[in-house]
């Protein structure tokens, strides 16, 4: 919650002048900071001693008292200090109300804060008023509908889908949420999931979520379907500077099935069931002005995963890390900006159990390895077109690096504020597999020394020669739900066995290289 300076100035003046009527603070929950005095006339009033006599919340009929007490009770208790000023009180109320909006159970346009001088009431009740300004605070809120049904279309990277969704909010009065979703898409034949989430310790910036899921997805670039059944437990939190962390555990039963007649031996060798048990940490720092059409700012994201090692069990074991960095910078021309992005990832096979040195390490599976190429990462190449192939199948790699540069220009008639832009771009990348695999009794196996040596060779191979490169131009439209690109791409460097795509290419997604 934050307030407009004029309204807050009015409330300060009302409190200090002891007028009879309550002063209204008009709240603006989104994108504002706690109030700071800008007019020197009111600075002295903000430094005057003050305390909170009472806080009342109206309209939170389905919300537990304990959740509200966690936010507002400290304001009353802290204001008993003789050093507390009127500015301190207003700042604490603003900060607490901002937190209230982040629970996601109240309407953003339904907030109102009313402040009155409690000393007037004390005089009317024949009580001796105090020397300090004492405030009675009344906060009005409007709860959102507890049960919401929705249906529509959604866009992820390289896929569109239709969905139905049901959300039950504030189930037990503590801002808990249950979301049930069913979807079908261009590649995902079916997907079902249910997520229950709740804030911890009355803090909207720390949430615990439990999810169950089941999905069936076509992967035509590798001639198979993948069925997933499992669940995950996630703890998500935000820091004061806006960084986001997600720590999670997932257990998923995976079925690689539906092989086509042309499926390669590599795909057939990985077909069947596998169980992945892993812990994952995701860090995101997003300082961009617009996620789908950034003109300034930067993004830093890292994903780290440990599967199958130690107590995690399962039948796949590896350490996997991925990093993404992007930035945009406006030029001294209206609506013109340049941007650059870089992604890299590494998958390191590990032995099962607690040992890091073993004579039997299972190489990575196709459904764990990285894929590279397509309209949302390295444009000018087919989906999964970069990296190792076995026949017609893209079988993925254990190490990759990719980068891009682009320039966005406004269209003459659209203007610099339009979400429609002209794009010039160049991008490239490499995807390589772990080197030094050896056959043992008809199956692939490695020892720990071979894994280390193979990864060293893979890093050397990554820098061996030019990466696959493409350049082109196109149109970009930044819709609120996704980014749409129509590009003409010209491959400039194509390595042996990779699948380039010259000509028009359509990309729809939320995360582009």
């Amino acid at each position: 919650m934050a307030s407009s300076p004029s309204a807050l100035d009015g409330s300060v003046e009302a409190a200090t002048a002891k007028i009879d009527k309550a002063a209204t603070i008009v709240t603006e929950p989104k994108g504002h900071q706690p109030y700071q005095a800008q007019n020197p006339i009111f600075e002295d009033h903000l430094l005057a001693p003050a305390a909170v006599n009472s806080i009342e919340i109206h309209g939170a009929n389905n919300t537990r008292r304990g959740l509200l007490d966690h936010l507002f009770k400290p304001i009353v208790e802290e204001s008993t200090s003789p050093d507390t000023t009127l500015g301190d009180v207003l700042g604490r109320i603003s900060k607490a109300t901002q937190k209230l909006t982040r629970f996601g159970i109240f309407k953003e346009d339904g907030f109102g804060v009313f402040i009155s001088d409690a000393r007037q009431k004390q005089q009317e009740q024949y009580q001796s008023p105090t020397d300090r300004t004492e405030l009675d605070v009344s906060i009005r809120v409007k709860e959102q509908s507890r049960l919401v049904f929705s249906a529509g279309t959604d866009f992820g990277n390289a896929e569109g889908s239709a969905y139905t969704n049901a959300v039950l909010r504030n189930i037990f009065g503590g801002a808990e949420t249950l979301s049930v979703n069913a979807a079908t898409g261009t590649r995902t034949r079916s997907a079902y999931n249910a997520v229950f989430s709740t804030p911890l310790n009355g803090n909207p910036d720390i949430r615990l979520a439990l999810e169950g899921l089941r999905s069936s997805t076509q992967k035509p670039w590798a001639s198979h379907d993948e069925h997933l059944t499992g669940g995950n437990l996630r703890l998500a939190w935000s820091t004061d500077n806006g960084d986001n962390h997600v720590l999670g555990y997932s257990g998923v039963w995976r079925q690689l099935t539906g092989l086509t007649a042309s499926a390669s031996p590599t795909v057939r060798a990985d077909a069947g069931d596998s169980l992945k048990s892993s812990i994952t940490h995701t860090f995101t720092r997003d300082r961009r002005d617009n996620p789908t059409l950034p003109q300034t700012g930067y993004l830093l994201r890292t994903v780290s995963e440990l599967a199958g090692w130690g107590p995690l069990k399962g039948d796949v074991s590896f350490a996997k890390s991925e990093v993404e960095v992007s930035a945009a910078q406006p030029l001294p021309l209206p609506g013109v900006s340049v941007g650059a992005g870089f992604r890299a990832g590494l998958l390191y096979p590990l032995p099962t159990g607690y040992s890091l040195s073993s004579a039997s390490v299972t190489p990575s599976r196709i459904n764990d390895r990285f894929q590279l190429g397509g309209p949302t990462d390295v444009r000018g190449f087919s989906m999964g077109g970069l990296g190792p192939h076995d026949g017609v199948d893209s079988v993925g790699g254990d190490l990759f690096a990719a980068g891009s540069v682009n320039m966005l220009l406004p269209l003459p008639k659209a203007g610099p504020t339009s979400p429609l832009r002209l794009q010039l771009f160049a991008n490239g990348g490499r995807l390589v597999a772990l080197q030094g695999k050896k056959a043992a009794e008809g199956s692939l196996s490695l020892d720990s020394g071979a894994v280390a040596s193979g990864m060293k060779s893979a890093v050397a191979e990554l820098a061996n020669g030019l990466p696959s490169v493409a350049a082109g131009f196109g149109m970009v439209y930044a819709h609120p739900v996704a980014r749409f690109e129509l590009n003409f791409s010209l491959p400039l460097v194509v390595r042996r066995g990779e699948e380039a795509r010259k000509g028009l290419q359509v990309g729809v997604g939320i995360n582009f290289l």
Side-chain angles (χ1 to χ4, degrees), residues 474-498:
M475 303 292 293
V476 176
Y477 178 69
H479 190 272
V481 299
R483 172 167 166 156
F484 297 79
E485 291 191 1
L486 175 63
N487 294 312
F488 179 86
S489 303
L490 179 64
L492 302 177
V493 179
V494 182
R495 303 182 74 89
R496 181 180 300 175
E498 297 183 337

Side-chain angles (χ1 to χ4, degrees), residues 263-271 366 369 389-390 393 395 437 444:
S264 64
T266 302
V267 174
R268 294 182 182 276
D270 282 343
I366 189 172
R369 292 195 285 268
H389 283 68
D390 186 354
D393 293 330
V395 296
K437 294 179 180 178
L444 291 174

Side-chain angles (χ1 to χ4, degrees), residues 210-424:
L210 177 65
E211 178 183 18
L213 61 90
R214 183 178 178 85
S215 68
S216 175
T217 306
Q218 293 178 304
K219 298 190 174 181
W221 59 86
S223 304
H224 71 272
D225 296 347
E226 185 177 35
H227 300 169
L228 303 178
T229 304
N232 60 70
L233 182 66
R234 301 188 301 270
L235 177 65
W237 69 95
S238 301
T239 62
D240 292 339
N241 63 356
D243 295 342
N244 295 314
H245 297 260
V246 180
L247 179 65
Y249 167 79
S250 66
V252 182
W253 171 34
R254 310 178 301 176
Q255 296 173 286
L256 200 154
T257 185
L259 274 62
T260 67
S262 61
S264 64
T266 302
V267 174
R268 294 182 182 276
D270 282 343
D273 297 359
S274 64
L275 178 63
K276 184 176 79 167
S277 173
S278 67
I279 55 174
T280 306
H281 175 261
T282 303
F283 168 80
T284 305
R285 174 176 292 173
D286 194 346
R287 302 292 188 267
R288 296 172 297 179
D289 60 337
N290 186 332
T292 56
L293 195 68
Q295 302 292 295
T296 184
Y298 69 93
L299 167 71
L300 171 63
R301 179 183 292 116
T302 64
V303 182
S304 303
E305 181 180 15
L306 178 64
W309 187 81
L312 293 173
K313 304 298 182 181
D315 53 15
V316 292
S317 183
F318 59 82
K320 189 176 182 179
S321 295
E322 189 172 357
V323 62
E324 176 182 1
V325 181
S326 64
Q329 178 65 40
L331 296 181
L333 295 172
V336 180
S337 64
V338 293
F342 175 78
R343 295 178 186 169
L346 180 148
L347 190 156
Y348 195 98
L350 295 174
T352 56
Y354 292 89
S355 175
L356 292 176
S357 59
S358 173
S360 179
V361 179
T362 303
S364 58
R365 299 174 60 93
I366 189 172
N367 40 1
D368 293 317
R369 292 195 285 268
F370 298 107
Q371 297 285 344
L372 191 62
T376 62
D377 48 39
V378 183
R379 306 167 184 86
F381 292 85
S382 301
M383 184 72 67
L386 274 71
H389 283 68
D390 186 354
V392 298
D393 293 330
S394 173
V395 296
D398 303 285
L399 183 67
F400 84 93
S404 72
V405 292
N406 74 324
M407 176 179 287
L408 296 175
L409 304 101
L411 296 176
K413 293 186 178 181
T417 60
S418 170
L420 186 64
R421 300 294 171 93
L422 175 66
Q423 173 178 242
L424 308 176

Side-chain angles (χ1 to χ4, degrees), residues 172-194:
F172 306 115
E176 305 88 358
T177 301
L178 176 64
S179 175
V180 181
N181 186 76
T184 182
T186 54
R187 287 196 293 108
T188 301
R189 292 180 173 178
S190 62
Y192 308 93
N193 77 313

Side-chain angles (χ1 to χ4, degrees), residues 66-82:
L67 182 69
L68 301 175
D69 283 349
H70 186 83
L71 292 179
F72 295 102
K73 191 174 181 180
I75 297 177
V76 179
E77 294 174 346
E78 292 172 4
S79 69
T80 59
S81 170

